Amino acid sequence: MEKNIEFALKIKEIRERRNMTIEELAEKSKVSLDVLKAMEDGEIIPSLTPLTKMARALGVRLGTFLDDAPQLGPVVVRGGKPNNVLYFSGREDVTNATNLEFHALGAGKIDRNIDPFIIDVNTEEKDYELSYHEGEEFIYVLEGEIEVEYGKESFKVAAGDSIFYDGVVPHHLHSTGEPAKILAVLYTPY
């Protein structure tokens, strides 16, 4: 997909800088070789779960895949509208749809431990699988309402509400009707 070509090239560049073959990355990350090849060719839209697994296998932060040019000083984003926007699927098993629009608020900040995003959530799903990854997620709903399936529980979180949870517990996030907008702060150890 044209809109994620830069992203695809960045993933391939990071893998090659680590002197890792795509087969080695598939084995180490437990992400299928077919998904990795299609991702590096810019053919599919990944979800956060394989990206998190790939980041860990490559020894980088999740945000490394999203950064443009590292900055030593603070990163300022005016009006909640960063220049770079990435589009992802909200599901690990669906790679041909764009359900989440990520506006990276920390892109370029070197040595960060968290990745803040404004995310437009355009998914009202009835059939999905829970996914998991190492780390933590803090979600603050700016507009609309989302539902977070977390283990065997379900939480509806509306504008002005927040939820903070461990990523190792299987989970899924989607809007409950109209599109929602959230502030997400992700911590993924590497």
Side-chain angles (χ1 to χ4, degrees), residues 57-71:
L58 291 167
V60 298
R61 293 174 293 95
L62 174 64
T64 303
F65 295 141
L66 312 174
D67 291 352
D68 288 329
Q71 298 182 153

Side-chain angles (χ1 to χ4, degrees), residues 17-43:
R17 272 189 298 181
R18 296 282 194 250
N19 294 317
M20 190 180 290
T21 67
I22 196 165
E23 292 82 8
E24 291 169 331
L25 180 57
E27 183 178 328
K28 193 170 180 180
S29 68
K30 306 291 188 248
V31 174
S32 85
L33 183 59
D34 290 339
V35 168
L36 288 175
K37 285 181 179 178
M39 194 181 305
E40 283 193 5
D41 290 339
E43 296 172 0

Side-chain angles (χ1 to χ4, degrees), residues 61 63-64 67-75 106-115 190:
R61 293 174 293 95
T64 303
D67 291 352
D68 288 329
Q71 298 182 153
L72 293 174
V75 174
K109 175 74 174 90
I110 59 174
D111 296 331
R112 69 182 183 267
N113 296 306
I114 61 170
D115 289 297
Y190 61 99

Side-chain angles (χ1 to χ4, degrees), residues 8-179:
L9 292 173
K10 180 159 278 217
I11 289 175
K12 186 174 183 176
E13 176 189 331
I14 292 168
R15 179 183 57 75
E16 289 175 346
R17 272 189 298 181
R18 296 282 194 250
N19 294 317
M20 190 180 290
T21 67
I22 196 165
E23 292 82 8
E24 291 169 331
L25 180 57
E27 183 178 328
K28 193 170 180 180
S29 68
K30 306 291 188 248
V31 174
S32 85
L33 183 59
D34 290 339
V35 168
L36 288 175
K37 285 181 179 178
M39 194 181 305
E40 283 193 5
D41 290 339
E43 296 172 0
I44 66 168
I45 302 165
S47 75
L48 281 181
T49 299
L51 290 179
T52 303
K53 291 176 182 178
M54 291 165 50
R56 183 140 178 101
L58 291 167
V60 298
R61 293 174 293 95
L62 174 64
T64 303
F65 295 141
L66 312 174
D67 291 352
D68 288 329
Q71 298 182 153
L72 293 174
V75 174
V76 177
V77 175
R78 305 268 184 221
K81 300 287 184 188
N83 293 335
N84 57 335
V85 177
L86 292 169
Y87 303 89
F88 295 102
S89 165
R91 296 172 50 175
E92 190 170 2
D93 61 333
V94 175
T95 56
N96 61 352
T98 300
N99 300 324
L100 302 172
E101 187 174 306
F102 277 65
H103 303 266
L105 299 175
K109 175 74 174 90
I110 59 174
D111 296 331
R112 69 182 183 267
N113 296 306
I114 61 170
D115 289 297
F117 301 96
I118 297 287
I119 304 173
D120 293 322
V121 183
N122 299 307
T123 57
E124 181 183 357
E125 300 193 44
K126 303 206 184 324
D127 184 30
Y128 52 83
E129 290 186 29
L130 305 180
S131 60
Y132 62 93
H133 55 83
E134 291 193 38
E136 300 172 328
E137 294 185 25
F138 172 80
I139 308 294
Y140 180 84
V141 180
L142 298 166
E143 299 173 9
E145 182 180 70
I146 62 168
E147 181 175 32
V148 177
E149 299 289 337
Y150 183 76
K152 295 183 180 188
E153 297 182 78
S154 177
F155 301 91
K156 289 201 176 177
V157 188
D161 297 341
S162 65
I163 184 169
F164 189 11
Y165 53 87
D166 291 316
V168 294
V169 175
H171 60 279
H172 186 271
L173 177 151
H174 51 272
S175 59
T176 59
E178 295 298 314

